[in-house]
């Protein structure tokens, strides 16, 4: 007698295999989405900081930014006076060694008194992650993105 179609067991095996493949694909997609969100946030912060630095040089006036774990604010002067010009809500929590980033009229990193800062500022996405970029180093005259391997400090960040 000839067989027409598939047996119930064959269909159950195919459905089970499809379920397993779908579960693997979903986990991979979630990981990819998380990495993409982290890298996107780092690139946005990098771009905003570079823009603030160039505005300070172009307008020949100091600029000020404030970074909290979930908020990035840009001010039109070099102090907290007035309302921020731009505020960005950070979807991924950040850790930083300084909550304030100031640039003088020459675009150099300075402290609250206007003196050149003698150390770098680090901004890192908190927690372990597999993203290619998850940190920013702001030096006296440059800004770099990198990958953190451990703590949020100079020795643990490899710049790209």
């Amino acid at each position: 007698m000839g067989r027409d179609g598939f047996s119930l067991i064959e269909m159950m095996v195919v459905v089970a295999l499809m379920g397993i493949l779908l579960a693997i694909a979903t986990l991979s997609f979630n990981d990819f989405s998380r990495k993409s969100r982290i890298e996107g946030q780092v690139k946005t912060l990098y771009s905003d900081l570079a823009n603030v630095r160039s505005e300070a040089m172009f307008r020949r006036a100091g600029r000020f930014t404030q970074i909290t774990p979930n908020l990035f604010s840009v001010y039109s002067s070099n102090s907290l006076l007035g309302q921020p010009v731009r505020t960005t809500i950070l979807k991924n929590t950040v850790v930083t060694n300084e909550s304030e980033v100031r640039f003088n009229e020459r675009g150099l990193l300075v402290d609250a008194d206007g003196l050149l800062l003698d150390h770098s500022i680090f901004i890192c996405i908190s927690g372990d992650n597999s993203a290619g970029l998850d940190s920013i180093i702001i030096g006296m005259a440059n800004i770099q993105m990198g990958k953190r391997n451990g703590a949020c400090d100079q020795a643990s960040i490899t710049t790209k």
Side-chain angles (χ1 to χ4, degrees), residues 56-88:
M57 289 186 291
F58 179 73
R59 299 190 189 282
R60 296 196 183 274
R63 290 290 184 264
F64 174 76
T65 65
Q66 185 177 36
I67 302 167
T68 63
N70 296 313
L71 204 63
F72 176 74
S73 301
V74 177
Y75 293 83
S76 62
S77 66
N78 60 355
S79 68
L80 275 170
L81 300 175
Q83 294 293 322
V85 175
R86 185 173 61 250
T87 299
T88 304

Side-chain angles (χ1 to χ4, degrees), residues 36-109:
S36 178
R37 279 192 310 271
I38 290 170
E39 289 179 10
Q41 180 171 308
V42 168
K43 289 176 182 178
T44 300
L45 279 172
Y46 174 83
S47 174
D48 287 346
L49 287 163
N51 188 34
V52 169
R53 174 175 262 158
S54 63
E55 277 180 16
M57 289 186 291
F58 179 73
R59 299 190 189 282
R60 296 196 183 274
R63 290 290 184 264
F64 174 76
T65 65
Q66 185 177 36
I67 302 167
T68 63
N70 296 313
L71 204 63
F72 176 74
S73 301
V74 177
Y75 293 83
S76 62
S77 66
N78 60 355
S79 68
L80 275 170
L81 300 175
Q83 294 293 322
V85 175
R86 185 173 61 250
T87 299
T88 304
I89 297 172
L90 304 174
K91 294 177 182 168
N92 299 295
T93 305
V94 298
V95 176
T96 181
N97 63 332
E98 298 274 341
S99 62
E100 300 173 350
V101 179
R102 287 184 167 84
F103 298 107
N104 68 9
E105 67 280 353
R106 293 175 34 213
L108 299 175
L109 192 61

Side-chain angles (χ1 to χ4, degrees), residues 53 103 107-109 119-121 137-144:
R53 174 175 262 158
F103 298 107
L108 299 175
L109 192 61
H119 62 275
S120 296
I121 296 176
I137 300 174
I138 308 166
M140 185 178 8
N142 65 352
I143 303 172
Q144 296 177 309

Side-chain angles (χ1 to χ4, degrees), residues 4 6 20 28 39-40 44 57 61 74 77 79 108 111 113 118 121 128-129 136 139 148:
D4 292 337
F6 301 104
I20 291 169
S28 295
E39 289 179 10
T44 300
M57 289 186 291
V74 177
S77 66
S79 68
L108 299 175
D111 62 13
D113 298 324
D118 61 353
I121 296 176
D128 291 333
N129 63 72
I136 297 173
R148 179 175 50 89

